[in-house]
Every structure is written in C-alpha cells, then in structure tokens.
Amino acid sequence: MPLEAGLLEILACPACHAPLKEADAELLCTSTECGLAYPVRDGIPVLLVDGARRPA
C-alpha cells in the first residue's frame, strides 16, 4: 500500500536522519552507512530503530 503523497518528503531515518525511500512493504534509509529498513504495517510506517531490519 503506497504512502500518501508528501509523507515521504517529511519522514527521515530516526537513526541517522537521512531521507527514506519506499520499497515493497518497507521504508529504506538512503544513507549508505546506515541503510536500515523500517516496516510499513497496515499503511503505517513503524520507525523504531529496534524494529528495523539491518542491512545485509
């Protein structure tokens, strides 16, 4: 489910404050050093560092 237009413009990674991009059911941090992936559940981004998926 795509997020509302403009929402991605104001969201940032809580760990490093880099912009996020939408991919499938996740929001991905655009920072190459951080790279965390945050889940989107029922159309709501869950921006908790403890719940983020670490980069491979």
Side-chain angles (χ1 to χ4, degrees), residues 4 10 15 20 28 32 36 41 43 54:
E4 287 185 31
I10 61 172
L20 297 171
L28 303 175
T32 56
L36 292 174
R41 295 188 183 117
R54 302 277 175 203

Side-chain angles (χ1 to χ4, degrees), residues 1-37:
M1 170 181 244
L3 297 175
E4 287 185 31
L7 184 58
L8 278 178
E9 294 176 16
I10 61 172
L11 291 178
C13 175
C16 70
H17 308 290
L20 297 171
K21 67 179 179 180
E22 196 169 10
D24 297 325
E26 295 181 318
L27 293 178
L28 303 175
C29 177
T30 57
S31 169
T32 56
E33 295 159 5
C34 178
L36 292 174

